[in-house]
Amino acid sequence: MVTETSAGLGTGRASVGSMLEFAWTAGVFTATDAMSATSLTRSTAIDAVDILLDAGILVEHPNARAVGSYRSGRPARRFSLSPELGVVVGIDAGDTHLAITVADPLETTLVHRRTDLDSAHSPQERRTVILAELQRALDEADRTRDDVLSICAGVAAPVNRKGVSPPHPDGFWERTNPGLAEALREWAPIVEVKNDALLAAVAEGAQGAAIGCRDYVALLAGERFGGGVVVDGHLLHGAHGGVGEGVVFDHVVGVESAVGLGYALQDAVRDGVADGSIPATGAVGRMADAEPIDPRAVLALASEGDADAVLVSTRVGASVARIVGVLGSMYDPAKVIVCGGVAASIEPVLAAARAVLPEQLHLPAPDLIASSLGVEVVSLGAVASARRAARERSVPMLAEGRLRRRS
């Protein structure tokens, strides 16, 4: 579970802040429910509810008599968060894809749009496309900028706490994060730009293989390797947002590259044909001339026991074991979760990696598992982070502002 610090309401409104925090997960509740959860007195709880009702943060529902559950005595008033608070937005801006999700602050996805991005675009062109797709998503959800409580965008680059990526020797980070923090500033009161692997770790901790785990790495492994690292329940970030940056694998013997598993499998097929270990006439060998090679087809053959595909999986698995060995030695995780679209079919590679992983480190080897969250893992993490920002910052700010205007 990843820990964060709640901003809450201002000084003097502790009871209102406690009531608001309770309401996020309570569904429809009564004052008695709130008293039990918050330790507020009845009068204080009712005062806090009335303040939040007056600010439009809570809404009142028909009482127990009106919904047919009243038995005796005075029927209890029933409340919940207002469904009209606004929306949150999660953005997954990968190197070659863009996914935008508009959701309510609690649990419902309203719109999800996914499209391709041109990796040859300039930063300005990329920024223009992202903002245009964001507007289309809001239009499809029948929402405006005024409805947006928070935005979280995931990018394939290190990102510092201000949402800015450092310079890259080839300009890659500047292109994949084309000034999004500044570009989105007018779209929401809270804007966060984060590394995509970090958001994958958020998703795995919230609804994936790391629920309840305090030490894990979410290893994005599609186009390039990158790790979102959680230690002692805390996301690790670094001065420039570079914790888990994959360039380290360029310098690991037996890996020598940060390219992801899709490319690694293609290279292993072509290398095997070139060195004669994979016959060019076999089912795998015939793939060598394809551009690109479909890694899922190779993995499907490996799952069926095809000897050449198993050889490819074994060779790539040895590289994965070295990568996980480095992560295991640096961060001592209980789990390493391979994430991204490739995860659904990657088991033959992981099985090969597990067989040799204990040789790669002195510590106990982490569990090496495939994510079940699929290609949308970064989107899920972005939405979860946007919801957290709305809960801890945007809505308390909204409540505070409305209360000031009413006082």
Side-chain angles (χ1 to χ4, degrees):
M1 182 177 189
V2 179
T3 59
E4 297 280 346
T5 300
S6 175
L9 292 177
T11 302
R13 302 195 190 272
S15 62
V16 179
S18 296
M19 182 62 67
L20 178 56
E21 180 65 18
F22 164 74
W24 276 101
T25 56
V28 178
F29 65 92
T30 66
T32 300
D33 297 329
M35 289 165 53
S36 299
T38 63
S39 298
L40 298 175
T41 65
R42 174 170 289 278
S43 61
T44 302
I46 291 172
D47 285 346
V49 165
D50 287 340
I51 288 171
L52 291 171
L53 285 171
D54 188 51
I57 304 301
L58 296 181
V59 293
E60 186 164 1
H61 294 264
N63 63 37
R65 177 184 287 122
V67 297
S69 60
Y70 170 68
R71 295 182 181 276
S72 62
R74 183 177 181 181
R77 298 169 67 194
R78 302 161 67 246
F79 316 97
S80 73
L81 281 175
S82 170
E84 305 302 324
L85 282 177
V87 296
V88 301
V89 176
I91 300 174
D92 172 15
D95 183 25
T96 59
H97 70 270
L98 173 66
I100 297 181
T101 306
V102 181
D104 73 11
L106 293 177
E107 60 181 6
T108 303
T109 295
L110 305 177
V111 168
H112 180 73
R113 294 176 58 88
R114 190 176 182 91
T115 188
D116 292 333
L117 285 178
D118 187 342
S119 60
H121 274 165
S122 68
Q124 178 61 49
E125 291 170 328
R126 184 180 179 91
R127 185 165 57 247
T128 298
V129 170
I130 291 171
L131 295 181
E133 284 296 311
L134 173 56
Q135 185 61 61
R136 290 189 185 98
L138 288 175
D139 291 344
E140 188 175 337
D142 195 25
R143 298 295 195 274
T144 69
R145 295 189 194 187
D146 291 340
D147 297 314
V148 181
L149 296 167
S150 59
I151 297 175
C152 181
V155 298
V159 184
N160 68 17
R161 292 174 179 85
K162 295 181 179 179
V164 178
S165 296
H168 185 271
D170 300 323
F172 179 77
W173 292 339
E174 296 95 316
R175 180 174 59 77
T176 52
N177 179 16
L180 288 182
E182 178 67 26
L184 294 169
R185 181 176 297 173
E186 297 180 357
W187 291 73
I190 302 296
V191 173
E192 299 178 334
V193 181
K194 297 178 180 290
N195 172 259
D196 52 4
L198 184 149
L199 291 179
V202 170
E204 293 295 341
Q207 60 192 100
I211 292 175
C213 184
R214 293 178 55 80
D215 302 280
Y216 64 94
V217 176
L219 182 63
L220 272 184
E223 295 170 348
R224 289 179 60 83
F225 286 115
V229 182
V230 175
V231 175
D232 296 332
H234 299 278
L235 279 166
L236 300 191
H237 191 267
H240 308 97
V243 171
E245 168 56 35
V247 70
V248 65
F249 301 123
D250 290 342
H251 309 291
V252 175
V253 175
V255 181
E256 284 99 18
S257 177
V259 299
L261 288 174
Y263 296 115
L265 286 160
Q266 295 181 63
D267 291 344
V269 169
R270 295 193 176 102
D271 291 346
V273 171
D275 66 21
S277 58
I278 296 176
T281 55
V284 174
R286 289 194 298 271
M287 297 180 186
D289 293 330
E291 188 57 54
I293 297 171
D294 184 354
R296 292 169 298 181
V298 179
L299 293 167
L301 286 170
S303 295
E304 296 167 3
D306 180 277
D308 296 331
V310 169
L311 177 61
V312 169
S313 296
T314 299
R315 289 177 173 176
V316 175
S319 293
V320 171
R322 292 186 177 94
I323 289 170
V324 176
V326 170
L327 295 172
S329 295
M330 291 175 64
Y331 303 116
D332 191 20
K335 298 180 180 182
V336 173
I337 306 158
V338 176
C339 303
V342 72
S345 52
I346 204 62
E347 182 56 32
V349 170
L350 300 190
R354 291 187 200 104
V356 297
L357 179 56
E359 304 168 8
Q360 302 300 319
L361 69 173
H362 292 169
L363 291 166
D367 291 337
L368 177 58
I369 54 182
S371 171
S372 63
L373 300 183
V375 71
E376 301 297 348
V377 63
V378 175
S379 290
L380 293 170
V383 171
S385 292
R387 282 178 168 144
R388 181 183 295 117
R391 174 176 177 168
E392 297 178 351
R393 300 168 67 190
S394 298
V395 173
M397 287 166 52
L398 179 64
E400 192 74 56
R402 289 178 178 177
L403 293 173
R404 285 200 192 100
R405 288 194 294 271
R406 284 165 167 77
S407 61

